Amino acid sequence: MAQNQTKYSFIAEEIRKRIMNHAYPLNQPIPDEITLAKEFDCSRMTMKKALEVLVLEGLLYRKRGHGTFIIKSALDADRLQIHNQEVNGFTKLLNGKKVISKVIEFKVIFPSEEIAERLHIEMETPIYDILRVRLVKDEPYVLEHTYMPVGVIPGINQQILEGSIYSYIQDELHLKIASSYKQIRADKATLLDQQYLDCASDDPVVEVEQTVYLNNGLAFEFSKSRHRYDKFVFTTVNIARR
């Protein structure tokens, strides 16, 4: 279990891997909370919380009187699932697959009025201006344009950008990513999309605009990510409270 990782999040991660690796049959409920709690040597409350994480992610659903089942559509192998509560980076989302990050542009600038407003900073505050394309198996998936305050996330360099910024933030700076505010919209492919995402001029692109916060309340990222329409599924889960 990673340092600072809670027991329930570790369990949720392990069960998530099992689901994605087809360790459980799709037409039967997964093992019940008591059985899983014994296996993972935890309380039933901890196991319930771990399974709730996977329910909120859209991987599992509960059927009263019958158990907890896997949502079959969540295992679509051709498209990455991005959930409405996802605050992890792209590398974490790929769950072990090799991600290549190609840096197109990297510089330090002063923010525009819009960017300063989204990051809750003054216009005299230096920020990183980062443009990267993320590839899986040499195939482009997403074009990311990211802005981060230098003072909040110090030390970013070319080497870090060619890997995972979020891993650097959490593992090297020991900062905790807490939440994000996202807006998702469809758009037409721009010239940059066509150049770096191998899009046709009439291909749609899904743009995710987001501001991401640390657990101390500071905004550390404002970004606009352009996703190939054929590589992603955006999932939202609504649960009725009784």
Side-chain angles (χ1 to χ4, degrees):
M1 186 164 62
Q3 187 178 12
N4 298 325
Q5 187 177 25
T6 60
K7 179 76 171 179
Y8 79 85
S9 65
F10 168 76
I11 294 170
E13 184 175 325
E14 289 300 308
I15 295 177
R16 186 187 300 112
K17 288 178 182 177
R18 294 182 183 183
I19 292 171
M20 302 311 293
N21 290 327
H22 305 279
Y24 299 124
L26 293 178
N27 58 348
Q28 297 177 23
I30 67 170
D32 59 55
E33 289 177 4
I34 295 175
T35 301
L36 288 170
K38 288 180 180 177
E39 178 186 349
F40 284 95
D41 191 24
C42 68
S43 68
R44 186 172 179 180
M45 184 61 67
T46 298
M47 181 54 61
K48 184 176 181 179
K49 194 169 183 180
L51 294 179
E52 185 69 15
V53 169
L54 302 178
V55 169
L56 290 172
E57 287 184 2
L59 284 177
L60 298 175
Y61 73 97
R62 302 182 192 275
K63 191 174 181 181
R64 186 180 294 274
H66 293 82
T68 303
F69 293 80
I70 298 168
I71 297 176
K72 295 179 182 179
S73 62
L75 300 182
D76 185 344
D78 296 327
R79 301 189 183 194
L80 294 177
Q81 298 277 336
I82 297 183
H83 305 284
N84 62 331
Q85 297 188 339
E86 181 70 56
V87 292
N88 294 310
F90 184 73
T91 301
K92 181 73 172 180
L93 177 66
L94 266 291
N95 194 28
K97 293 182 182 178
K98 185 177 181 181
V99 177
I100 296 175
S101 303
K102 290 189 176 180
V103 181
I104 301 168
E105 189 172 74
F106 174 45
K107 57 188 176 181
V108 175
I109 62 170
F110 292 111
S112 65
E113 185 175 353
E114 177 199 10
I115 296 169
E117 181 180 333
R118 297 302 180 91
L119 289 172
H120 313 294
I121 58 176
E122 301 296 327
M123 293 179 66
E124 295 78 20
T125 304
I127 63 170
Y128 301 111
D129 181 351
I130 304 161
L131 185 62
R132 299 190 299 172
V133 61
R134 316 298 297 279
L135 303 98
V136 181
K137 295 181 179 179
D138 295 322
E139 190 172 12
Y141 271 53
V142 58
L143 181 65
E144 299 176 345
H145 201 165
T146 305
Y147 306 94
M148 292 181 171
V150 175
V152 178
I153 309 296
I156 288 182
N157 55 34
Q158 185 81 12
Q159 183 179 358
I160 292 167
L161 294 178
E162 290 173 355
S164 168
I165 299 177
Y166 275 33
S167 292
Y168 169 73
I169 289 171
Q170 295 174 106
D171 300 338
E172 300 297 327
L173 298 182
H174 304 293
L175 299 173
K176 292 185 179 180
I177 299 169
S179 61
S180 64
Y181 173 75
K182 297 181 183 180
Q183 292 182 322
I184 302 173
R185 62 178 68 90
D187 197 6
K188 296 179 179 179
T190 65
L191 291 176
L192 275 179
D193 297 329
Q194 294 172 48
Q195 180 178 356
Y196 291 106
L197 294 179
D198 292 340
C199 291
S201 59
D202 56 351
D203 277 347
V205 172
V206 179
E207 181 180 82
V208 178
E209 180 182 301
Q210 69 173 0
T211 303
V212 192
Y213 298 85
L214 299 172
N215 66 340
N216 59 12
L218 289 177
F220 75 91
E221 173 191 323
F222 172 63
S223 62
K224 294 182 180 181
S225 299
R226 311 276 291 183
H227 298 75
R228 276 180 46 162
Y229 78 94
D230 58 338
K231 295 298 180 185
F232 294 85
V233 173
F234 292 83
T235 304
T236 181
V237 178
N238 298 299
I239 299 175
R241 301 296 181 187
R242 296 174 180 172

